[in-house]
Amino acid sequence: MSLVIIGSIAFDTIETPFDRRERIVGGSCSYASLAASYFTDTKIVSVAGEDFPKEMIEAFNQKGIDTRGLVLTKGKTFFWEGRYGEDPNQRTTLKTEINVFRDFKPDLLPEYRKADIVFLGTIDPALQLDVLSQVENPKITAMDTIKLYIDKRHESLLEVIKKVDIFFGNDEEVKKITGESNLIKAGRNLLNLGPSFVVIKKGEHGVIIIENEFISGMLAHPCEDVVDPTGAGDSFAGGFLGYLDKVNSFEEKDIRKAAVYGSVMASFTIEDFGTDRLMSVTGSEIEQRYKEFKNLVSF
Ligand code: AMP
């Protein structure tokens, strides 16, 4: 099987109550593809400027990520700046500069068009729709988004939601899209807009998966030192979809396991700034933490 991921490749400036990092590599596509790469053949579709470090692309390749769909062009790489408060679930976006994404019109390679799973990571919904229209017969399509696009691109966002199988969003986003303040009702309302699964990310509290027949929950790994929460959601989605692509099954039991692997990958991401921990984590560390999760949730 194979997984195609579209999303941002970015420079991020991140401030937490304890530290600050300027222009480190981030972006929804970077986090999701690194997390997925531990499970399956992962291909990315994105754009970066001439200021983007070539070593980073080599590092993606060393993780087995197919970067032929990453276009390098004149101009500046996407930039995002955010600040976290004492509560790592609360963040403020200070700046978003879309830069090279302004004129990005991807033309997918034939192998990309045959993807089994497509993840439309956080990016302008018009671009998500464009990529989706180029993939021929995917088994599963999934999407994520961010408040900016809920506010500013509502119509095209609803178009994407209508077409995907899985929607990933945090509780605030799911409530905002549906206008419903009860989270479970909001999740069910979202199902009525198109998707078969809604995965609601609740930061350090874990996720809730809502489907017509079942609701399931997964705790987040209990982490005492959250260094940088950026990319946790994208890493969750990458681990979740990477695992499903690997096992080629969408049964309930595998969806539950996928949620554990998603939580495992997110838990590594937040242990360090940017993508550093995702770059260094090993397969045996992932399996070890997966086992710890089993103890955490068994009763
Ligand atoms: P997450 O913490 O999982 O929501 O993802 C954070 C990542 O999303 C950061 O690395 C940002 O570069 C990226 N990001 C933030 N805003 C946007 C946006 N409007 N479009 C695409 N990517 C974004």
Side-chain angles (χ1 to χ4, degrees):
M1 300 259 290
S2 79
L3 169 64
V4 162
I5 297 177
I6 161 99
S8 53
I9 295 277
F11 286 128
D12 291 342
T13 290
I14 296 159
E15 194 176 311
T16 73
F18 316 104
D19 211 343
R20 178 181 166 88
R21 289 287 192 285
E22 306 246 350
R23 297 181 65 76
I24 56 175
V25 170
S28 53
C29 185
S30 307
Y31 286 106
S33 60
L34 282 168
S37 70
Y38 288 93
F39 303 96
T40 196
D41 173 12
T42 305
K43 303 180 188 321
I44 59 173
V45 180
S46 195
V47 62
E50 52 205 354
D51 50 357
F52 195 72
K54 306 282 168 299
E55 309 80 67
M56 198 62 196
I57 299 172
E58 276 159 30
F60 285 140
N61 292 146
Q62 269 163 20
K63 295 279 170 211
I65 297 170
D66 183 342
T67 55
R68 285 175 301 158
L70 169 59
V71 175
L72 294 175
T73 186
K74 264 194 170 210
K76 284 187 179 170
T77 297
F78 183 101
F79 175 75
W80 176 79
E81 182 172 351
R83 182 192 294 141
Y84 294 89
E86 290 292 332
D87 175 354
N89 294 324
Q90 297 295 326
R91 82 171 169 211
T92 311
T93 289
L94 301 174
K95 217 179 260 177
T96 304
E97 293 171 4
I98 64 166
N99 297 332
V100 289
F101 270 96
R102 190 164 290 111
D103 300 315
F104 183 46
K105 300 257 177 306
D107 180 13
L108 267 55
L109 289 166
E111 298 98 301
Y112 278 57
R113 290 172 189 257
K114 295 192 166 43
D116 295 295
I117 300 188
V118 183
F119 178 45
L120 309 168
T122 297
I123 201 65
D124 194 304
L127 192 49
Q128 292 180 319
L129 277 175
D130 183 2
V131 168
L132 194 56
S133 71
Q134 295 184 47
V135 182
E136 284 157 12
N137 197 12
K139 291 182 181 164
I140 288 277
T141 55
M143 71 174 293
D144 196 351
T145 194
I146 204 163
K147 190 169 165 287
L148 175 76
Y149 301 125
I150 301 172
D151 292 338
K152 301 244 160 81
R153 302 276 190 272
H154 203 74
E155 288 308 308
S156 46
L157 183 70
L158 289 178
E159 275 294 296
V160 193
I161 293 175
K162 207 195 282 179
K163 294 195 159 113
V164 295
D165 301 302
I166 305 177
F167 178 89
F168 293 96
N170 65 30
D171 38 6
E172 187 195 355
E173 289 157 1
V174 172
K175 287 177 184 175
K176 204 166 181 10
I177 291 170
T178 57
E180 168 60 59
S181 59
N182 176 283
L183 194 57
I184 304 302
K185 280 190 192 157
R188 289 203 188 286
N189 288 357
L190 230 153
L191 287 178
N192 291 333
L193 299 179
S196 310
F197 295 93
V198 175
V199 181
I200 305 174
K201 301 173 287 184
K202 295 177 59 58
E204 63 182 337
H205 306 300
V207 295
I208 299 175
I209 302 178
I210 302 186
E211 193 250 12
N212 279 323
E213 305 293 318
F214 74 89
I215 295 186
S216 103
M218 177 52 56
L219 284 176
H221 185 258
C223 178
E224 291 187 30
D225 292 305
V226 178
V227 174
D228 171 16
T230 311
D234 308 311
S235 307
F236 177 90
F240 183 96
L241 295 170
Y243 177 75
L244 289 181
D245 197 64
K246 174 181 165 178
V247 297
N248 186 15
S249 158
F250 308 104
E251 286 175 30
E252 185 185 328
K253 72 173 186 2
D254 292 305
I255 297 220
R256 287 176 189 266
K257 275 193 191 169
V260 180
Y261 277 112
S263 300
V264 165
M265 299 317 287
S267 76
F268 283 114
T269 294
I270 64 176
E271 286 179 355
D272 206 342
F273 270 96
T275 56
D276 286 1
R277 191 65 181 99
L278 273 190
M279 281 285 180
S280 68
V281 69
T282 63
S284 58
E285 284 178 312
I286 293 169
E287 288 312 317
Q288 178 58 33
R289 196 161 287 182
Y290 178 84
K291 280 189 200 136
E292 288 166 22
F293 257 95
K294 272 199 160 164
N295 290 335
L296 182 72
V297 297
S298 72
F299 60 89

